[in-house]
């Protein structure tokens, strides 16, 4: 019996009997269920969150936590933090509320704790052959008249023919024009297909980017979970390699393709979840195998900074440094930057800088090319 001297149960026992998803349903606006798991609109009062930025995860101790991925680091925590943020309760009152909600009373035995949902799917689901077949079909469509708007869109983003071919980019003409198996990207309208490759260049997954997303609809679409586990990392194929010795880690496939086109080894971290240990372990394997320095190409916004911080923190736990490069113009990403400054690579650390760092020097600030954000 671990009750304190006032007969109260430990917070741990109360949280173990709190269903955070149910509490979020009560206190935050649930979003439509997607293949990426459950999402909620951020319940913090001054955050008008159109994008349903809140998701749940289990921390290293298996405790359920919620987090808003919009970039505000304070929009996160456990069930107690959720009540404090949404109901204005102090910590003590929030704990009392949760105890009452879970049927826990002072000086009485604890009700049994519900079983915890598994932290991860028990084992990865192998890739369904329908996914690479979809990728191939879309590659063919890209070469046809129906694929012309996607070719123009890719060219406008600066991707050349060699990059497009090496990475098997394609055009999804939409479900009215192309039949697809259930669970493949839905094909609401015309989209560009960005396969996720494994380190050896085999197609492992795909993301479809709608050229004109429906209002309120997704910009990216993925295969359903039962067609294969999202690999979380999308490697690219560089048409030709430079010898800068860098592994550029990007927030999305288009940025990683920009890096690959410039001859860098590059990879995109997929999904709205933060990089986790599995992601970081796989980055380290590649970096060590090919003697590469890991550089994060973060977007120029608070969410990007949060993302790079998380990545740096996990790499530091494995005794790896992370260099971080941000585009010179706020609110832009690497693809924007490269389109306006073909020499963007000069701002990356050089091999000499990495071999003998005499004294830490401040990172040079790239010149502001004055580009427009689109
Ligand atoms: Zn928020």
């Amino acid at each position: 019996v671990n009750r304190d001297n006032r007969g109260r149960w430990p917070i741990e026992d109360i949280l173990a009997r709190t269903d955070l998803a149910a509490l979020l349903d009560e206190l935050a606006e649930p979003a439509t269920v997607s293949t990426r798991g459950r999402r909620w609109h951020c319940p913090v009062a001054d955050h008008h969150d159109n994008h349903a930025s809140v998701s749940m995860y289990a921390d290293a101790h298996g405790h359920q936590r919620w987090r808003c991925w919009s970039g505000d680091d304070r929009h996160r925590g456990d069930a107690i933090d959720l009540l404090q943020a949404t109901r204005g309760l102090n910590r003590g009152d929030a704990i009392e509320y949760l105890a009452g909600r879970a049927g826990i009373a002072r000086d009485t035995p604890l009700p049994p704790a519900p079983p915890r949902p598994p932290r991860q799917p028990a084992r990865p689901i192998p890739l369904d052959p329908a996914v690479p077949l979809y990728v191939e079909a879309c590659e063919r469509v890209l070469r046809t008249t129906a694929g012309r708007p996607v070719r123009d869109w890719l060219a406008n983003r600066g991707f050349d023919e060699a990059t497009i071919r090496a990475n098997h980019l394609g055009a999804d003409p939409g479900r009215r024009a192309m039949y697809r198996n259930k669970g493949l990207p839905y094909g609401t309208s015309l989209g560009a297909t960005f396969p996720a490759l494994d380190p050896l260049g085999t197609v492992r997954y795909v993301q479809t980017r709608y050229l004109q997303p429906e209002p309120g609809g997704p910009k990216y679409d993925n295969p359903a979970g039962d067609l294969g586990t999202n690999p979380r990392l999308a490697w690219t194929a560089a048409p030709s390699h430079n010898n800068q010795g860098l592994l550029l880690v990007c927030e999305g496939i288009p940025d990683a393709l920009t890096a690959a086109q410039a001859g860098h080894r590059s990879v995109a971290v997929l999904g709205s979840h933060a990089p986790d240990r599995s992601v970081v372990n796989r980055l380290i394997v590649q970096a060590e195998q090919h003697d590469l320095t890991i550089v994060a190409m973060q977007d120029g916004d608070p969410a990007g900074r949060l993302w790079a911080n998380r990545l740096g923190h996990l790499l530091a736990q494995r005794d790896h440094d992370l260099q971080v490069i941000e585009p010179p113009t706020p609110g832009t990403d690497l693809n924007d930057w490269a389109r306006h400054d073909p020499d963007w690579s000069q701002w990356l650390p050089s091999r000499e800088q990495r071999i003998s760092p005499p004294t830490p020097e401040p990172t040079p600030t790239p010149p502001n090319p004055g580009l427009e954000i689109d």
Side-chain angles (χ1 to χ4, degrees):
V1 178
N2 300 313
R3 281 173 285 191
D4 68 10
N5 54 18
R6 291 167 63 190
R8 294 178 301 194
W9 291 101
I11 293 164
E12 181 91 352
D13 287 329
I14 295 169
L15 289 178
R17 285 161 183 77
T18 299
D19 181 346
L20 184 58
L23 193 64
L24 279 164
D25 284 342
E26 291 167 24
L27 299 171
E29 183 65 34
T32 322
V33 177
S34 78
T35 53
R36 275 146 257 172
R38 294 212 59 193
R39 313 278 296 187
W40 292 265
H41 296 277
C42 184
V44 177
D46 57 2
H47 181 192
H48 300 287
D49 176 25
N50 293 324
H51 300 290
S53 306
V54 169
S55 63
M56 267 177 60
Y57 66 100
D59 68 16
H61 306 287
H63 299 151
Q64 290 185 311
R65 301 182 69 82
W66 60 281
R67 179 159 184 184
C68 165
W69 294 99
S70 66
D72 193 319
D73 217 10
R74 293 162 303 174
H75 299 183
R76 61 193 292 185
D78 58 16
I80 299 167
D81 299 303
L82 181 61
L83 280 162
Q84 290 185 265
T86 56
R87 289 277 177 85
L89 299 182
N90 65 35
R91 190 171 167 79
D93 288 345
I95 293 167
E96 286 292 323
Y97 176 88
L98 290 175
R101 195 172 174 282
I104 297 170
R106 292 179 195 198
D107 303 314
T108 55
L110 276 173
R116 281 270 163 261
R119 289 187 59 202
Q120 300 273 329
R123 58 184 65 228
I125 295 164
L127 188 69
D128 190 294
V131 174
L133 286 173
Y134 165 79
V135 167
E136 275 178 47
C138 293
E139 261 191 287
R140 284 194 298 272
V141 172
L142 186 68
R143 314 284 158 203
T144 68
T145 317
R148 164 133 227 133
V150 177
R151 285 205 301 281
D152 293 345
W153 186 88
L154 291 170
N156 191 37
R157 279 189 155 51
F159 298 125
D160 63 24
E161 188 57 27
T163 303
I164 290 170
R165 284 191 185 274
N167 291 279
H168 306 286
L169 306 192
D172 180 342
R175 63 185 299 105
R176 277 187 300 276
M178 188 175 87
Y179 172 82
R180 79 254 346 262
N181 288 2
K182 196 165 178 294
L184 287 169
Y186 190 75
T188 319
S189 58
L190 184 67
T193 48
F194 291 104
L197 309 180
D198 69 12
L200 299 174
T202 307
V203 172
R204 291 295 176 206
Y205 200 64
V206 67
Q207 286 196 320
T208 301
R209 163 67 154 90
Y210 293 116
L211 298 197
Q212 280 158 344
E214 304 272 302
K219 193 160 143 188
Y220 282 95
D221 209 344
N222 296 343
D226 57 0
L227 295 190
T229 301
N230 181 332
R232 303 290 313 279
L233 285 176
W235 297 88
T236 60
S240 63
H241 288 276
N242 65 36
N243 64 350
Q244 269 185 271
L246 303 176
L247 169 55
L248 302 191
V249 185
C250 303
E251 290 191 61
I253 299 181
D255 285 348
L257 290 172
T258 299
Q261 187 163 297
H264 300 288
R265 191 86 180 101
S266 71
V267 64
V269 181
L270 300 182
S272 47
H273 298 274
D276 60 14
R277 282 194 186 82
S278 149
V279 160
V280 164
N281 289 344
R282 287 180 282 155
L283 293 177
I284 289 174
V285 166
Q286 288 299 312
E288 289 182 346
Q289 259 177 23
H290 304 284
D291 191 23
L292 304 172
T293 297
I294 303 175
V295 178
M297 305 303 296
Q298 71 167 44
D299 291 353
D301 58 28
R305 262 158 245 145
L306 202 65
W307 173 85
N309 273 345
R310 172 78 181 154
L311 195 59
H313 175 72
L314 290 171
L315 281 164
Q317 288 179 345
R318 297 283 312 273
D319 291 324
H320 272 259
D321 284 338
L322 178 68
Q323 312 224 20
V324 180
I325 303 284
E326 182 175 328
T329 306
T332 62
D333 59 23
L334 175 58
N335 184 254
D336 300 319
W337 184 12
R339 275 186 285 156
H340 292 85
D341 178 6
D343 295 326
W344 63 272
S345 271
Q346 68 174 303
W347 300 104
L348 298 174
S350 71
R351 196 171 268 282
E352 295 70 39
Q353 278 171 325
R354 280 173 284 120
I355 289 167
S356 56
T359 46
E361 269 188 297
T363 318
T365 312
N368 186 335
L371 59 94
E372 283 156 20
I373 299 164
D374 56 12

